[in-house]
Amino acid sequence: MNSHVMPAAERKVRVDLGDRSYDILIGPGLIAAAGNEIASRLKGRKVAVITDENVGPRYLEPLMASLKQRDIEAVSLVLPAGEKTKSFEHLIPACEAILGARIERNDAVIALGGGVIGDLTGFAAGIVRRGSRFIQIPTSLLAQVDSSVGGKTGINSPHGKNLIGVFHQPDLVLADTDVLDTLSPREFRAGYAEVAKYGLIDKPDFFAWLEKNWQAVFSGGAARIEAIAVSCQAKADVVAADERENGLRALLNLGHTFGHALEAATEYDSARLVHGEGVAIGMVLAHQFSTRMNLASADDASRVETHLRAVGLPTRMTEIPGSLPPAEKLMDAIAQDKKVKGGKLTFILTRGIGQSFVADDVPASEVLSFLREKHPQ
């Protein structure tokens, strides 16, 4: 499809970071148009493309063809798919591929894939030659609305998720909405959890719009592009205000402290739980915990649960297949999560739909008794 057949559907969101500002382009046909978009922004003529075994067979060839049309020389590396790829084991070949491609200062590294490939490739781009130019072509809804924007990159450790990495902003994000049609329903739902999150952080009108229009977002077209554009703009605004998460940006972790603990508890086994599902359960828990702390009404917590359940996301720990470790072990994972300062737990809590805030003095004892309640042994 020619990317200019439907100009009305295309959206551009600017991430405003001074001389490191960049565009997020959202719309159909952007992989086929990638060569044009990249050539118009890139001084260099070489790229290294990193993708995975799920995405590569579908989209690597059209991307390479598009680059070739604009005389951009490209090499590619295909890594295994899945969360376990975010490791030192796969970071090394990624770095070697970039070096082997003789990528220089004006050339670029391209991540073609979901959040895992984006995080790993961005980290490799951030450390090779002390920082190479980087382009994100996110192929999952989760990556399009969240992980591809904002420059957080990294890999996992046995100690927890994303604990090893750097901030390295992309130079361009191409969110091709056509590719979302090939996602499994489960993956699309998981990405939708992050879309809903933006409403729950500080956009109650957007959350209400999603309650009414989620089916249209799922079926594609204008509503989907709108939801992605609103999400990207929300993230872009937060990143521009607080790039390195000294304050406001922490709000983007709504639901993530609980969610990451559940991911660790399932040993990142995507058959049991994927990131967006952990976030969905985590957002419900964050609203319920806020109710317990007398900050928000129980009605809001149940409204969040009702909506996420309607779209088919899990909302309770008991819905995770297999057994979970005891509440004390989940508590250990929460303490190891990177949102801990001086031994006090930092949580994103809420006073209601769209009224989230950073609480950095949450008593661990309250969290533990809440977890015991929600996760009876």
Side-chain angles (χ1 to χ4, degrees), residues 185-216:
R186 184 185 182 199
E187 281 181 289
F188 192 90
R189 285 195 297 265
Y192 181 85
E194 296 280 1
V195 174
K197 178 188 78 175
Y198 293 109
L200 295 174
I201 290 171
D202 64 356
K203 294 188 165 32
D205 294 351
F206 181 49
F207 188 75
W209 181 86
L210 289 170
E211 286 176 308
K212 288 193 190 74
N213 296 288
W214 69 267
Q215 279 150 314

Side-chain angles (χ1 to χ4, degrees), residues 259-278:
H260 281 167
L262 294 171
E263 284 184 273
T266 57
E267 297 175 334
Y268 307 112
D269 177 355
S270 59
R272 295 179 65 193
L273 189 74
V274 294
H275 177 70
E277 293 167 343

Side-chain angles (χ1 to χ4, degrees), residues 1 4 42 126 130 139 155 173 273-274 342 351 357 373 376:
M1 178 195 283
H4 298 292
L42 197 66
R130 298 187 180 83
T139 58
I155 57 175
V173 180
L273 189 74
V274 294
R351 296 187 177 90
F357 66 99
E373 206 175 277

Side-chain angles (χ1 to χ4, degrees), residues 81-236:
E83 189 71 33
K84 290 182 168 52
T85 297
K86 278 175 62 167
S87 64
F88 275 117
E89 187 193 341
H90 295 98
L91 179 69
I92 294 165
C95 292
E96 293 296 345
I98 296 165
L99 291 167
R102 306 229 183 288
I103 295 299
E104 292 168 9
R105 189 128 294 191
N106 289 321
D107 302 324
V109 178
I110 298 178
L112 173 68
V116 167
I117 287 296
D119 284 2
L120 175 89
T121 306
F123 186 20
I127 57 178
V128 168
R129 298 190 187 282
R130 298 187 180 83
S132 311
R133 294 173 68 112
F134 173 47
I135 293 164
Q136 285 268 22
I137 306 183
T139 58
S140 69
L141 178 60
L142 187 103
Q144 290 189 0
V145 300
D146 184 47
S147 58
S148 68
V149 180
K152 271 190 176 183
T153 74
I155 57 175
N156 301 331
S157 144
H159 289 284
K161 275 193 75 149
N162 303 325
L163 293 176
I164 303 158
V166 294
F167 283 96
H168 187 59
Q169 295 293 346
D171 292 82
L172 174 67
V173 180
L174 298 176
D176 186 332
T177 50
D178 285 340
V179 306
L180 303 180
D181 293 334
T182 60
L183 289 185
S184 70
R186 184 185 182 199
E187 281 181 289
F188 192 90
R189 285 195 297 265
Y192 181 85
E194 296 280 1
V195 174
K197 178 188 78 175
Y198 293 109
L200 295 174
I201 290 171
D202 64 356
K203 294 188 165 32
D205 294 351
F206 181 49
F207 188 75
W209 181 86
L210 289 170
E211 286 176 308
K212 288 193 190 74
N213 296 288
W214 69 267
Q215 279 150 314
V217 173
F218 274 63
S219 57
R224 179 181 290 177
I225 290 171
E226 176 66 17
I228 294 169
V230 170
S231 300
C232 286
Q233 187 66 62
K235 182 148 191 190

Side-chain angles (χ1 to χ4, degrees), residues 323-337:
S323 63
L324 288 175
E328 289 74 9
K329 272 269 186 265
L330 291 176
M331 200 63 211
D332 288 345
I334 286 170
Q336 179 62 61
D337 200 58

